[in-house]
Amino acid sequence: MILCANFKANKTRQETRAYMAVVESFVSANAIEDTIMVFPPFTALEHISRNVLIGVQNGYPAANGAFTGEITLEQLEEFEIKTILIGHSERRHILGETQEQIAAKFRFFAQQGFAIVYCVGEPLEVREYGYDVLMEYINAQFVGIDLNYPDLIVAYEPVWAIGTGLTASNREIEEVHNALRQTISAPLLYGGSVKVDNAGDIMALANVDGVLVGSASLSANDFCTMIAQATELQ
Ligand code: 13P
């Protein structure tokens, strides 16, 4: 299983340090073999090796240059970051990233050999049109994306389930994951209001290879409980 904690714009550097201490000691004390990734804000990156993978929530597709407000490869390399989230719905819908920009970002970081957690997901109004429209919308989010990239992880995160407390039903998750599995051999994560109460059930579904957790991952203890649930499934 792959379990990812996406902090979004939460936690200070100090808070992240305390969090990592809890998660890292849990991972080593329990000899966890699942893949654990944490995506803290840029300001909490540190140049120390960890038994948990640290990734970034974004990056600008350039080595360096005149890109005010952005973080490029050179700054990420300083912290030995080799893992990135691309296509998150908050970047698509709040920050206005287009599929073209997202694909350019994907190409750049793939060329650099990053592990890429690539997110897709539909808003509620799309889901209401039914399965065909839903899958057409999701497939459009793969335009320009190399699905055979060896370090690809795909995360299905329905927009209406993110930060709302609404989780997709197991049937809804399976329907999309089964469809994605037809063309994608990369691991498939589910994200959207995953928490201690539902993570075990979701990870047990067919074609679900892990979870991408936002708000519920902010508690180190809750995140460790979800890691323990993944271990029990083996
Ligand atoms: P929540 O778990 O807060 O719904 O967020 C999910 C998410 O967007 C993870 O990337």
Side-chain angles (χ1 to χ4, degrees):
M1 286 285 153
I2 301 170
L3 292 96
C4 304
N6 176 10
F7 286 4
K8 309 189 179 183
N10 293 295
K11 291 200 189 290
T12 62
R13 190 179 190 78
Q14 277 307 111
E15 288 165 343
T16 303
R17 263 184 207 153
Y19 181 99
M20 292 309 297
V22 174
V23 175
E24 285 179 313
S25 59
F26 181 85
V27 166
S28 54
N30 295 284
I32 299 295
E33 286 178 4
D34 301 274
T35 303
I36 312 301
M37 298 181 181
V38 175
F39 295 85
F42 287 125
T43 53
L45 296 180
E46 299 202 67
H47 188 243
I48 49 174
S49 65
R50 301 190 176 279
N51 63 358
V52 166
L53 268 170
I54 297 292
V56 282
Q57 301 168 21
N58 186 34
Y60 191 82
N64 53 37
F67 307 108
T68 301
E70 294 292 318
I71 300 274
T72 59
L73 182 67
E74 196 171 275
Q75 291 85 46
L76 299 180
E77 281 179 335
E78 185 176 21
F79 295 97
E80 293 179 15
I81 297 296
K82 291 298 272 178
T83 306
I84 188 167
L85 273 184
I86 295 180
H88 193 280
S89 72
E90 284 148 18
R91 298 215 55 91
R92 292 178 190 268
H93 299 294
I94 303 176
L95 283 308
E97 282 187 14
T98 64
Q99 186 59 30
E100 225 169 71
Q101 289 169 321
I102 289 168
K105 205 175 272 195
F106 187 98
R107 276 194 300 277
F108 179 84
F109 285 102
Q111 259 166 16
Q112 302 302 325
F114 274 55
I116 299 176
V117 179
Y118 185 72
C119 308
V120 297
E122 81 290 356
L124 190 56
E125 61 270 23
V126 170
R127 176 162 277 279
E128 283 167 349
Y129 279 111
Y131 179 80
D132 290 345
V133 174
L134 162 66
M135 288 316 299
E136 200 181 306
Y137 185 92
I138 291 175
N139 286 330
Q141 295 180 322
F142 287 114
V143 170
I145 303 303
D146 176 9
L147 294 177
N148 296 315
Y149 178 58
D151 262 324
L152 171 67
I153 296 169
V154 170
Y156 169 55
E157 298 202 299
V159 178
W160 50 272
I162 295 179
T164 57
L166 293 175
T167 321
S169 69
N170 291 349
R171 197 193 56 77
E172 288 168 328
I173 297 170
E174 273 186 325
E175 185 178 50
V176 173
H177 279 237
N178 290 346
L180 294 178
R181 183 52 84 225
Q182 304 305 308
T183 50
I184 301 173
S185 57
L188 300 175
L189 313 184
Y190 171 78
S193 297
V194 175
K195 42 188 177 287
V196 167
D197 292 350
N198 60 18
D201 287 347
I202 292 171
M203 288 187 284
L205 296 174
N207 293 323
V208 173
D209 304 302
V211 285
L212 173 52
V213 191
S215 10
S217 76
L218 295 175
S219 151
N221 288 333
D222 283 4
F223 191 51
C224 290
T225 305
M226 291 184 250
I227 297 171
Q229 291 170 346
T231 310
E232 276 166 30
L233 289 170
Q234 276 156 10

